[in-house]
Amino acid sequence: MSVESGELMRVFSGNANEPLAEEIAYELGTSLGAVEIGRFSNGEIQVIINESVRGTDVFIIQPTCGPVNDSVMELLIMIDAFRRASADRITAVIPFYGYARQDRKTRGREPISAKLVANLLLAAKVDRILTVDLHAGQIQGFFDIPVDHLTAVPILGEYFRDKGLEDVVAVSPDSGGVTRARKLAAALDVSMAVIDKRRPAPNEAEVRNIIGDVKGKVAIIVDDMIDTGGSIVAGGQALMEHGAQEVYACCTHAVLSGPAVERLQFSSIKEIVVTNTIPLTEDHRSDKIKVLSAAPLLGKAIQRIHSNRSVSALFG
């Protein structure tokens, strides 16, 4: 595929989320490039590019989701393969950035793993990063190359607008997610509230209070990810106890590890809306979980990057 820049663009996929990569390629009016990703008998990853990429603008679709370490190594090795095959520019499209929650030291002798992953990508000589809803926006500063940081809030907002809900309040599950909740509130033209909680340990949450008016309202909790589901379920229960009429939840990344699906299924939350930045396996399927596609958003961003146009204009 080529556009006004005159440079050929090729889209390739790792093994982490090939269905999403195929959707993105469809949005771009092209097909995925020919690449083989296999394993040697000892588990080492092998990448073979089966077409010429010399002088091309290469986009590698690879969220670093589970098994996260395999996905990271696949991406690094793919970048190296394309660099050695003389690609002109290599953009790593990482819809979900693994290790993003380890973005700072909260106690002594801890690593900052999100920075380490950034260092590895830079060492592999990637030219650009395209990602969606980083857990912490400041991770962009871990890179000394351009990072295009998209948000899926417009996708989520459009879905809830089309449902025609009344008396809605957008809810942040904690103080760190206020900006995201404010964006959803603006998209829906509604008020917002914040759940005051503390984390005694990773993947544990205790709700202390609800800041804002939720009584008699339809509450929509918005977060960047749902992992074990403990926080979102506790938040939903607290909202109901504070008088909310109904509770919905939405997020960009459906990590859904451990007991998450069972917790969500038997919670007070009416519906959980997620995107397909992370593929949902069959055991993650539930009649409560609605999956929206991030492919149109990513496809438009890739098109703009390739033709050297503004990506932020997508959210104007």
Side-chain angles (χ1 to χ4, degrees):
M1 178 179 185
S2 61
V3 291
E4 63 231 41
S5 66
E7 185 181 44
L8 184 68
M9 177 174 72
R10 297 298 290 136
V11 179
F12 294 84
S13 176
N15 287 325
N17 196 345
E18 194 167 351
L20 173 60
E22 289 173 347
E23 286 188 47
I24 293 171
Y26 177 81
E27 292 289 333
L28 292 167
T30 186
S31 57
L32 292 178
V35 61
E36 294 178 38
I37 305 170
R39 296 289 189 279
F40 291 103
S41 58
N42 67 348
E44 292 179 5
I45 296 167
Q46 180 187 41
V47 172
I48 301 174
I49 306 165
N50 289 323
E51 63 180 80
S52 174
V53 293
R54 184 178 296 274
T56 60
D57 194 8
V58 168
F59 292 84
I60 305 170
I61 317 294
Q62 178 80 334
T64 49
C65 52
V68 61
N69 297 330
D70 285 355
S71 299
V72 170
M73 279 306 301
E74 260 188 32
L75 178 57
L76 294 171
I77 293 170
M78 289 180 76
I79 292 168
D80 187 68
F82 285 109
R83 177 62 62 209
R84 294 175 188 278
S86 301
D88 185 64
R89 181 174 66 173
I90 302 169
T91 301
V93 182
I94 311 174
F96 173 72
Y97 187 93
Y99 287 102
R101 284 173 286 184
Q102 299 182 49
D103 64 311
R104 65 194 185 280
K105 291 183 68 170
T106 58
R107 59 179 71 89
R109 298 175 297 281
E110 270 192 328
I112 303 180
S113 305
K115 171 59 174 167
L116 175 61
V117 172
N119 289 346
L120 291 169
L121 289 164
L122 292 171
K125 295 186 171 58
V126 71
D127 294 300
R128 194 178 194 102
I129 303 291
L130 173 61
T131 189
V132 184
D133 283 322
L134 289 167
H135 183 68
Q138 60 266 30
I139 290 173
Q140 297 171 81
F142 292 173
F143 293 90
D144 295 323
I145 57 173
V147 177
D148 292 297
H149 185 205
L150 308 181
T151 177
V153 169
I155 300 171
L156 302 169
E158 182 179 11
Y159 175 81
F160 284 109
R161 273 199 310 274
D162 291 345
K163 288 182 77 72
L165 301 173
E166 297 182 355
D167 294 323
V168 173
V169 58
V171 181
S172 172
D174 52 40
S175 59
V178 167
T179 300
R180 189 176 298 106
R182 188 177 291 122
K183 288 178 181 178
L184 181 63
L188 299 175
D189 192 22
V190 299
S191 60
M192 64 168 286
V194 181
I195 298 173
D196 177 25
K197 73 180 182 186
R198 64 182 289 269
R199 287 191 179 276
N203 292 322
E204 291 182 19
E206 294 177 0
V207 176
R208 290 182 167 182
N209 195 17
I210 305 294
I211 303 167
D213 181 20
V214 300
K215 190 172 183 179
K217 294 181 180 291
V218 176
I220 304 174
I221 307 173
V222 58
D223 208 349
D224 64 315
M225 71 175 75
I226 298 176
D227 189 354
T228 62
S231 294
I232 218 85
V233 168
Q237 184 61 37
L239 289 167
M240 294 297 289
E241 290 171 359
H242 280 72
Q245 177 186 338
E246 290 179 331
V247 177
Y248 292 81
C250 62
C251 74
T252 304
H253 312 298
V255 179
L256 302 181
S257 60
V261 175
E262 184 178 4
R263 281 177 174 173
L264 294 169
Q265 186 66 34
F266 295 103
S267 72
S268 58
I269 299 172
K270 186 171 183 178
E271 185 179 42
I272 302 95
V273 184
V274 303
T275 76
N276 61 346
T277 55
I278 297 175
L280 260 63
T281 58
E282 283 304 314
D283 58 339
H284 286 160
R285 300 286 176 179
S286 165
D287 55 4
K288 271 194 174 185
I289 299 175
K290 170 72 175 179
V291 182
L292 308 178
S293 179
L297 174 65
L298 287 162
K300 289 174 184 175
I302 289 171
Q303 187 74 274
R304 286 176 173 271
I305 290 169
H306 176 59
S307 54
N308 295 314
R309 289 182 291 155
S310 170
V311 174
S312 60
L314 289 171
F315 305 102

